[in-house]
Amino acid sequence: HFGQSIPGKPDMLVKNIAGAAGNVAANHLYSKADKDGLTLGVPGRTWMLSKVFGDPGVRFDAEKFTYIGSAGPENNKLWVRSDLGIKTFEDLKKSKNKLVFGALALRSTNGSIPLILGHDGLPITVLPGYKGTSSIMLAIEQKEVDGMFTGDDTFRANRGDLIDNKVVIPLLQSAPETKGVPLISDIVSPKSKALYELASAAERFGVPLIGPPGIPADRAAMLRKAFIAMSHDKAFVADAKKVSLPVGEAIEGEALKKMVVDTVDHATPEVVKQFNDYTAAPSAKGKKR
């Protein structure tokens, strides 16, 4: 769809570059891709904070990329199996058994947010190491884990049947979307507020489309304008809904860059150390994958 909104309607060729939670693709864009606006990328959700957290192998400065746009923020929810008998957040607080949440990695959003809630006193622990969100959803269905933290859109795109059949229910959410489900920002403790803001930054960014640093200003402006035009196109909106992408809340490139820069600049050493300490915690014990 993006090519249809760019003058000349160029063909769009896709090359998958996997690895290191998007850092491999980001490194490529930063140092190897031509700066003519013809090579863009979607490294993922959390790569822009990798340098802040001291991740190895990071060879880019997130503040220097050319930000084109994002489809919009994602509302993540704390999903649990309904057969656990825990129907509300109040039930969760009273649970005498720790719930195990599957995650890709402790540093990923689906790992770090449950960890923060666990450190805040909720009966939650995290089991990382799954290769994809669909694998975690299968583990939920097979009762290997008790839940996961992910977006409604992501869950529906992979296993919407688990939501429709009430195999899973949400207990917390990051945005005021579902009536009666508390906001995480309202229940997280004061000592964890800054940490939660940092860990949840990727939710606000959505999935950014970026280019290498140094794309000529006129081309960058054209690409940003085309991205916003695409986000309003009826055909794009229809296809986006089919795969549960956010629609109607697109973030323009300059605004997106400011969000990233502000987040990086406000990541104090104390909060970063706290995040690193939390995400280095031992994984869940006693349950087999």
Side-chain angles (χ1 to χ4, degrees):
H1 290 281
F2 189 37
Q4 297 302 304
S5 298
I6 298 174
K9 297 184 178 181
D11 292 331
M12 308 294 284
L13 305 178
V14 178
K15 179 181 180 181
N16 291 317
I17 303 179
N23 289 342
V24 173
N27 282 337
H28 177 84
L29 280 172
Y30 193 82
S31 59
K32 295 183 179 180
D34 291 336
K35 307 179 188 301
D36 53 9
L38 297 178
T39 302
L40 307 174
V42 186
R45 300 176 186 275
T46 59
W47 57 269
M48 68 286 292
L49 298 175
S50 293
K51 191 171 184 178
V52 172
F53 295 143
D55 290 349
V58 175
R59 298 188 297 276
F60 59 81
D61 184 340
E63 301 184 24
K64 294 182 179 180
F65 281 109
T66 303
Y67 287 83
I68 308 302
S70 167
E74 183 175 35
N75 179 23
N76 284 336
K77 296 176 181 177
L78 191 76
W79 301 92
V80 299
R81 296 199 335 256
S82 59
D83 67 336
L84 297 172
I86 298 174
K87 305 300 182 184
T88 66
F89 172 61
E90 292 301 318
D91 292 339
L92 175 63
K93 289 196 296 183
K94 298 174 184 175
S95 176
K96 295 181 180 180
N97 298 317
K98 276 199 173 186
L99 275 63
V100 179
F101 283 76
L104 304 180
L106 292 177
R107 285 195 172 190
S108 65
T109 302
N110 56 30
S112 61
I113 301 300
L115 276 174
I116 292 170
L117 296 174
H119 278 276
D120 255 1
L122 290 177
I124 289 175
T125 189
V126 178
L127 181 63
Y130 287 91
K131 300 301 182 183
T133 53
S134 59
S135 298
I136 305 174
M137 293 169 192
L138 179 60
I140 291 173
E141 187 176 35
Q142 296 178 341
K143 301 184 180 182
E144 295 177 3
V145 296
D146 301 316
M148 73 178 300
F149 183 75
T150 193
D152 186 271
D153 293 340
T154 299
F155 218 126
R156 287 194 175 278
N158 288 275
R159 290 298 305 274
D161 60 301
L162 298 183
I163 298 176
D164 295 336
N165 296 328
K166 292 185 169 47
V167 175
V168 294
I169 57 174
L171 300 184
L172 292 169
Q173 59 183 343
S174 57
E177 179 181 87
T178 302
K179 187 176 181 180
V181 178
L183 293 174
I184 299 174
S185 57
D186 289 342
I187 64 93
V188 72
S189 69
K191 67 181 177 63
S192 297
K193 285 284 186 183
L195 180 63
Y196 171 68
E197 287 297 312
L198 178 62
S200 63
E203 298 177 344
R204 300 189 296 275
F205 301 151
V207 184
L209 174 67
I210 64 172
I215 292 179
D218 58 339
R219 289 198 176 189
M222 178 270 293
L223 290 169
R224 288 168 176 157
K225 182 178 179 180
F227 186 90
I228 295 301
M230 176 198 69
S231 72
H232 294 295
D233 180 74
K234 291 182 179 179
F236 167 78
V237 170
D239 279 350
K241 287 180 177 178
K242 291 178 183 177
V243 295
S244 299
L245 278 176
V247 295
E249 299 182 80
I251 306 171
E252 191 272 338
E254 283 290 354
L256 183 61
K257 180 177 181 177
K258 185 178 186 305
M259 291 170 66
V260 173
V261 170
D262 287 348
T263 299
V264 171
D265 288 349
H266 286 90
T268 65
E270 294 77 17
V271 174
V272 171
K273 182 181 184 304
Q274 188 181 17
F275 180 91
N276 286 334
D277 288 345
Y278 278 18
T279 54
S283 59
K285 305 291 185 182
K287 287 207 174 188
K288 293 183 179 181
R289 286 265 307 277

